[in-house]
Amino acid sequence: MLYQIHEWQRSFLGPLSYFAQANARMLNDHASPLSQWPGVQRMAAGFELIHRLGKDYEKPEFGIHSALAHEHEIAVIERVALDKPFCQLKRFKRFSDDPATIEKMKADPVVLVVAPLSGHHATLLRDTVRTLLREHKVYITDWVDARMVPAEAGTFGLDDYVAYIEEFIRHIGARELHVISVCQPTVPVLAAVSLMAARGEHTPLSLTMMGGPIDPRRSPTGVNNLATTQPLSWFKNNVVQTVPPNYPGHGREVYPGFLQHAGFIAMNPSRHLSSHWDYYQNLLRGDQEDAASHRKFYDEYNAVLDMPAAFYLDTIATVFQQFLLPRGLWDVAGERVNPAAITKSALLTVEGELDDISGLGQTQAAHDLCSGIPAKRRAHKVIEGAGHYGIFSGRRWREKVYPQVRDFIRKFDRAMK
């Protein structure tokens, strides 16, 4: 019933939110005589805040229509390269009318960015993609909100996630591919490439793993501690819900986005309360630049998706409770995952010094597991002053992390082809 109660609440708040938005616009319109009333700016700011708190946040668009590549402005078109029930493999195709730029772009490395299926949409990696487009051909996994996947499409577990990654790598072509995995997908990506290597298939030229829980036993964070202090049955009984009738996925078991969002807020409630108070104050002062920054951040942060329950529970058990990957005991569809089988892919791991989601050492653990990769083709970077999001988005990503990732990819793109 919890999901249905949430839907009733959303139905109630929707009209209230838009009523508040209409009032805010009316009171802010200088052509309206109401805008001249004493204290009207405070009322308008209050209505705007009510609208922001009560509105429904849909999936944002990537919105990348142009980029700077090789010092030239180019056009970018978002295309679906492969359409699966639970994920779309998207490509950001670059175009230019400058012959020299076209030739340079043709020689650029191909990169698959594997986005996390952990609450937020893949658009959270918009800055990652936009920066990579400077000197790379870019694909990304755009995971589908589970409530929008019809129940007849079947279940989706961690094994299915691994199979999807394998299929995407084969579709693009492993011989010319570099894979970047951000946060949670570092684990299934390592599994997928390990299985492909063990079968004798071609593997990507390089693997870049950023802020992921390869071995959560190292420097455990609050996220890790929650998973280890509660039995799996607790998660199934307390967070798994059934999609109500008003969605295509009616009847599917999911970990709802609204519960995940509540968890995100609960990790640092004072910060979010302060942020919304600052937004209210910015509206009162007429500081539209800071107010726009607040809206931009929360339009993304508040847009969440439902995760398939099977995948969520598999991840809790396999990754965070039983630690099957670092213990060498993980079987995927009957095949043992053995990262030591990887011998031809280069490996780069990136961690944030202040990461409070994947602690220091958790991603670095991949080097111990990938013992078949020679030391000269492995590297580890710790980004000083960076939190979890700072290693793939924002100024630190663009100025500190990206140049190192780019150079690593270039080095092994040339060496292995």
Side-chain angles (χ1 to χ4, degrees):
M1 284 294 293
L2 186 59
Y3 207 136
Q4 187 62 63
I5 291 171
H6 169 75
E7 288 301 300
W8 290 336
Q9 179 190 45
R10 191 171 67 91
S11 298
F12 171 75
L13 288 178
L16 176 63
S17 170
Y18 289 112
F19 174 76
Q21 182 187 39
N23 278 309
R25 288 180 175 177
M26 178 178 61
L27 296 176
N28 280 320
D29 188 349
H30 295 297
S32 169
L34 296 177
S35 66
Q36 307 304 316
W37 286 8
V40 73
Q41 193 169 6
R42 189 173 299 276
M43 293 176 60
F47 278 126
E48 174 65 16
L49 185 59
I50 292 172
H51 166 65
R52 297 290 304 177
L53 292 173
K55 74 184 293 287
D56 197 24
Y57 289 86
E58 300 293 339
K59 177 186 175 182
E61 296 182 353
F62 279 101
I64 303 175
H65 305 297
S66 63
L68 188 66
H70 302 288
E71 301 181 355
H72 281 80
E73 191 77 15
I74 60 165
V76 178
I77 294 180
E78 181 183 324
R79 291 179 173 176
V80 177
L82 196 60
D83 196 358
K84 304 284 291 180
F86 291 88
C87 185
Q88 288 185 329
L89 176 64
K90 289 187 173 178
R91 180 182 180 184
F92 294 87
K93 178 68 175 176
R94 302 177 301 172
F95 296 89
S96 175
D97 56 5
D98 178 63
T101 301
I102 293 173
E103 288 304 311
K104 291 177 182 178
M105 291 195 301
K106 286 181 179 179
D108 282 342
V110 183
V111 171
L112 167 61
V113 178
V114 183
L117 176 53
S118 56
H120 287 107
H121 294 278
T123 51
L124 195 67
L125 274 63
R126 184 184 296 103
D127 195 26
T128 315
V129 171
R130 183 183 288 112
T131 305
L132 285 167
L133 284 169
R134 298 174 187 173
E135 296 155 305
H136 303 85
K137 305 170 187 175
V138 182
Y139 292 80
I140 193 170
T141 57
D142 191 10
W143 300 100
V144 178
D145 190 333
R147 67 182 177 178
M148 305 306 293
V149 182
E152 53 265 28
T155 60
F156 184 84
L158 186 55
D159 286 8
D160 300 300
Y161 192 120
V162 173
Y164 269 37
I165 300 304
E166 291 184 41
E167 184 175 354
F168 294 157
I169 290 173
R170 295 189 193 103
H171 179 82
I172 300 170
R175 292 187 180 187
E176 60 176 16
L177 180 63
H178 302 266
V179 177
I180 298 176
S181 51
V182 180
C183 190
Q184 163 262 326
T186 56
V187 174
V189 165
L190 185 56
V193 177
S194 299
L195 293 172
M196 295 176 75
R199 300 188 201 111
E201 296 184 55
H202 291 287
T203 58
L205 298 175
S206 76
L207 304 173
T208 298
M209 300 189 169
M210 308 174 69
I214 299 296
D215 189 350
R217 296 174 298 181
R218 301 188 180 186
S219 304
T221 64
V223 175
N224 306 137
N225 292 333
L226 174 63
T228 55
T229 55
Q230 300 290 349
L232 190 64
S233 58
W234 183 90
F235 293 95
K236 182 172 179 59
N237 294 332
N238 287 277
V239 303
V240 171
Q241 301 289 320
T242 302
V243 177
N246 52 316
Y247 292 105
H250 172 224
R252 177 180 299 283
E253 288 193 330
V254 297
Y255 178 18
F258 68 87
L259 282 181
Q260 298 173 64
H261 184 260
F264 299 152
I265 299 296
M267 289 178 66
N268 202 337
S270 59
R271 175 185 174 186
H272 294 287
L273 181 62
S274 175
S275 178
H276 284 81
W277 174 252
D278 290 343
Y279 175 62
Y280 175 75
Q281 294 295 321
N282 289 331
L283 292 175
L284 287 182
R285 291 192 298 265
D287 188 344
Q288 295 303 318
E289 185 176 349
D290 283 351
S293 296
H294 174 96
R295 286 191 288 265
K296 181 180 179 182
F297 174 81
Y298 279 99
D299 281 348
E300 196 77 55
Y301 190 83
N302 291 341
V304 290
L305 53 74
D306 291 359
M307 293 166 56
F311 168 76
Y312 173 70
L313 296 173
D314 284 351
T315 301
I316 292 291
T318 301
V319 179
F320 295 104
Q321 291 187 341
Q322 300 174 23
F323 315 108
L324 295 185
L325 176 59
R327 293 172 60 207
L329 301 175
W330 187 13
D331 292 331
V332 174
E335 295 181 88
R336 179 58 55 90
V337 174
N338 178 24
I342 304 172
T343 59
K344 297 181 179 179
S345 301
L347 174 64
L348 171 65
T349 53
V350 180
E351 295 181 330
E353 179 190 20
L354 306 178
D355 195 331
D356 59 353
I357 295 179
S358 293
L360 282 176
Q362 293 189 14
T363 314
Q364 187 182 20
H367 292 277
D368 295 333
L369 301 178
C370 297
S371 56
I373 302 176
K376 65 181 180 181
R377 286 199 275 126
R378 290 192 274 117
H380 176 66
K381 307 292 182 183
V382 176
I383 310 304
E384 294 184 4
H388 187 70
Y389 294 101
I391 59 176
F392 63 84
S393 182
R395 180 179 55 81
R396 281 193 176 88
W397 151 250
R398 293 189 295 269
E399 297 178 2
K400 294 184 177 181
V401 183
Y402 171 69
Q404 298 184 69
V405 172
R406 175 199 60 204
D407 293 347
F408 186 86
I409 288 175
R410 288 278 174 175
K411 177 181 178 181
F412 293 101
D413 190 69
R414 298 190 181 102
M416 302 298 290
K417 283 185 177 179

